[in-house]
Amino acid sequence: MTQSAKRETFSGSRAFIFAAIGSAVGLGNIWRFPYTTYENGGGAFIIPYLIALLTAGIPLLFLDYAIGHRHRGGAPLSYRRFNRHFETFGWWQVMVNVIIGIYYAVVLGWAASYTYFSFNSAWGAQPIDFFLHDFLKMGDITQGVSFEFVGMVVGPLIAVWLVALGVLALGVQKGIAKLSTILMPILLIMFMVLVVSSLFLPGATKGLDALFTPNWSKLSDPSVWIAAYGQIFFSLSIGFGIMVTYASYLKKESDLTGNGLVVGFANSSFELLAGIGVFAALGFMATASGQEVSEVAKGGIGLAFFAFPTIINAAPFGNILGVLFFASLTFAALTSFISVIEVIISAIQDKLRIRRAKVTFLVGVPMMLISTVLFGTTTGLPMLDVLDKFVNYFGIVAVAFVSLVAIVTNEKLGLLGKHLNETSSFKVGFLWRLCIVLTTGILAFMLLSEGAKVFTEGYEGYPSWFVNTFGWGMAASLVVISFLISRLKWKHEELFNPEEQAKEEQ
């Protein structure tokens, strides 16, 4: 019996779409997109954003689907079946997910904690002080790395790991697909209620004006276009193994491009919805405090754990808004977190040929311990900040660029396009291949420009030893470890079905 015959599958397109949307819709949609839009031209930013979606996001999504579906394996096995020399790219993607997994869990734990805190506004009148000093008990990184554990962080962190590993141990259909099928509709309903409630807050139109009033002059700024491509790239879960892995669980006659269009546009629709809800709330906050939206608008952690608690304190029925917001954040983060860990589980299961439950334990327990040691301490926030920055740009963007160069120069894009067209409703051709080539160039520019900036200016004022160790050092070690793992033999290696391979390449 071949490996592909043994491989788990989603029950159908619906299960796959919910799982893929669950992976794509995460923290970046809720706390990154609204602020990125605001900072890069408001309504005018929608133009480069849509162009980036159509020329990079959707084409790369199709590419990931083609690689995973055609080669029926996790990222390392799929890349190895594509070309024996490409296995390192797959393991590099796996290692990127290891880093993301160990820090994503702590943010998921924070969101779950704040869902509970929202019932009685436990953060009090000073949400920033509460988050940094009472909740995280953040230490001074200039004094060195501290391993003093913080109880309010460690408990939820371990809990979310156990929940995620329990779901993953159940398998692709009974675990991942079932959870996504339940949580995604609930997430959409909760967020719709949150958005509608935010629109009725006093000053909501002030926030929406700030978000959507176009600044057309921004369109001539190259950094705005790079921001659009970056947002699409990071929010769609492309280029680092997730969609390759999920596509490998699709049945052979699946409509790959049709599913990809649904996932891509659903993800962007949710981002737009998040922008409306978040900036309506920020408009209320600005009006209530007598400030401009520019003075209260924040992205990332600042939006979730500083700004929104302040809004909740002042808004009518604020506690309800708080529960809706942080529960939405928790659900979105949970489905994304599970997809990250699944990449690792799938890769090791392919390589060692051992049962899923056992692999889940082998992967999950060490990662949970590392996650607790690094982020359950008083230096967890600076550690998260540096790892997140470097693994995104010098992990995800770097491996995507290198692997795309290898695929394009290997001259097998046409073969992948043929595979997409065999069962898909939306056909791809020259334009799709051109978009892949152009996106490779854009990733190169992103990588070089950001690398030069961080190399010369440092990052966020952190000590150079800290950035060099946990930033550059981490990024470089991923490549080395990936190469070494790719040199290890596969257990019961069965990489190709010669007859099938010859037939596909005719």
Side-chain angles (χ1 to χ4, degrees):
M1 183 178 286
T2 66
Q3 179 173 325
S4 60
K6 295 177 183 177
R7 192 165 189 80
E8 291 185 86
T9 60
F10 288 112
S11 61
S13 291
R14 180 173 173 270
F16 168 77
I17 287 171
F18 274 120
I21 293 174
S23 172
V25 172
L27 297 175
N29 301 70
I30 298 174
W31 75 19
R32 192 176 191 270
F33 173 77
Y35 188 71
T36 300
T37 302
Y38 171 71
E39 283 284 281
N40 290 281
F45 181 73
I46 301 300
I47 293 175
Y49 175 82
L50 287 175
I51 292 174
L53 173 66
L54 295 175
T55 61
I58 300 293
L60 284 183
L61 202 57
F62 289 172
L63 181 67
D64 276 358
Y65 286 1
I67 293 172
H69 187 258
R70 179 174 186 265
H71 299 294
R72 314 302 293 170
L77 182 56
S78 288
Y79 274 97
R80 183 172 171 86
R81 284 176 166 170
F82 186 65
N83 185 305
R84 284 179 178 270
H85 303 294
F86 290 180
E87 184 184 340
T88 299
F89 303 147
W91 287 112
W92 192 356
Q93 292 181 349
V94 170
M95 293 308 301
V96 163
N97 282 278
V98 169
I99 300 300
I100 294 174
I102 62 175
Y103 75 71
Y104 210 90
V106 74
V107 184
L108 173 55
W110 294 349
S113 296
Y114 266 65
T115 305
Y116 174 73
F117 294 159
S118 295
F119 284 100
N120 63 352
S121 300
W123 47 74
Q126 300 294 330
I128 296 178
D129 289 342
F130 175 84
F131 180 70
L132 296 177
H133 304 303
D134 296 330
F135 183 59
L136 297 186
K137 302 187 185 301
M138 193 173 80
D140 184 359
I141 194 61
T142 61
Q143 302 300 313
V145 176
S146 166
F147 291 106
E148 180 184 344
F149 288 102
V150 181
M152 277 204 295
V153 175
V154 170
L157 174 59
I158 293 175
V160 298
W161 269 107
L162 294 176
V163 169
L165 295 178
V167 171
L168 287 161
L170 290 173
V172 172
Q173 181 58 37
K174 293 181 180 178
I176 298 171
K178 190 169 185 178
L179 181 77
S180 300
T181 304
I182 293 170
L183 289 191
M184 284 298 98
I186 294 174
L187 170 62
L188 179 61
I189 292 168
M190 288 196 309
F191 215 77
M192 285 294 293
V193 173
L194 174 67
V195 169
V196 171
S197 302
S198 298
L199 289 174
F200 285 97
L201 292 173
T205 53
K206 184 176 182 179
L208 296 180
D209 286 343
L211 176 63
F212 289 117
T213 299
N215 181 355
W216 300 112
S217 64
K218 286 278 193 177
L219 294 182
S220 62
D221 184 350
S223 67
V224 170
W225 290 84
I226 294 300
Y229 277 89
Q231 177 62 31
I232 287 294
F233 194 76
F234 295 133
S235 73
L236 267 179
S237 297
I238 48 179
F240 58 109
I242 292 176
M243 292 306 176
V244 170
T245 303
Y246 274 12
S248 74
Y249 298 134
L250 273 170
K251 294 178 180 179
K252 288 192 175 182
E253 299 303 314
S254 298
D255 182 353
L256 298 178
T257 59
N259 290 340
L261 290 172
V262 172
V263 171
F265 285 108
N267 175 72
S268 292
S269 298
F270 189 88
E271 288 194 319
L272 185 60
L273 187 67
I276 293 170
V278 165
F279 267 80
L282 290 175
F284 162 75
M285 181 177 171
T287 301
S289 60
Q291 298 174 290
E292 293 301 315
V293 174
S294 60
E295 297 176 79
V296 300
K298 299 179 186 294
I301 289 172
L303 167 69
F305 301 105
F306 304 166
F308 244 88
T310 303
I311 292 167
I312 292 162
N313 283 348
F317 308 106
N319 299 103
I320 296 174
L321 289 180
V323 171
L324 288 171
F325 177 77
F326 285 110
S328 297
L329 207 62
T330 301
F331 288 174
L334 178 60
T335 51
S336 296
F337 176 58
I338 284 172
S339 70
V340 166
I341 308 303
E342 175 60 22
V343 174
I344 309 164
I345 289 173
S346 177
I348 295 177
Q349 194 175 17
D350 286 342
K351 187 98 177 182
L352 301 181
R353 292 290 191 90
I354 52 182
R355 292 181 298 107
R356 166 172 283 270
K358 186 176 181 180
V359 176
T360 303
F361 177 81
L362 290 175
V363 167
V365 172
M367 285 186 66
M368 181 172 64
L369 293 175
I370 294 170
S371 184
T372 303
V373 169
L374 290 181
F375 305 107
T377 62
T378 54
T379 52
L381 183 56
M383 186 77 72
L384 184 154
D385 192 15
V386 170
L387 286 180
D388 178 60
K389 174 68 175 183
F390 277 79
V391 82
N392 273 280
Y393 277 94
F394 311 114
I396 295 177
V397 174
V399 68
F401 168 69
V402 174
S403 59
L404 283 180
V405 169
I407 291 170
V408 169
T409 55
N410 195 251
E411 299 181 351
K412 284 192 176 180
L413 264 180
L415 193 62
L416 293 174
K418 179 184 175 184
H419 181 80
L420 286 170
N421 290 338
E422 282 179 353
T423 59
S424 297
S425 55
F426 179 85
K427 307 300 181 183
V428 301
F430 171 76
L431 189 59
W432 172 71
R433 295 193 296 273
L434 179 62
C435 287
I436 298 295
V437 173
L438 293 176
T439 300
T440 306
I442 292 168
L443 291 176
F445 183 80
M446 288 173 62
L447 190 61
L448 292 172
S449 60
E450 196 64 28
K453 179 181 177 183
V454 175
F455 189 77
T456 55
E457 300 176 11
Y459 179 62
E460 295 293 334
Y462 292 121
S464 57
W465 66 266
F466 187 70
V467 173
N468 290 339
T469 302
F470 297 101
W472 295 114
M474 176 274 297
S477 69
L478 299 188
V479 183
V480 175
I481 294 171
S482 302
F483 175 77
L484 294 176
I485 296 175
S486 70
R487 299 302 95 187
L488 299 176
K489 282 192 173 185
W490 290 74
K491 187 174 182 181
H492 307 303
E493 183 175 24
E494 184 184 297
L495 294 179
F496 298 100
N497 180 328
E499 293 180 4
E500 188 175 309
Q501 190 76 8
K503 182 180 176 181
E504 289 191 64
E505 293 185 357
Q506 284 178 355

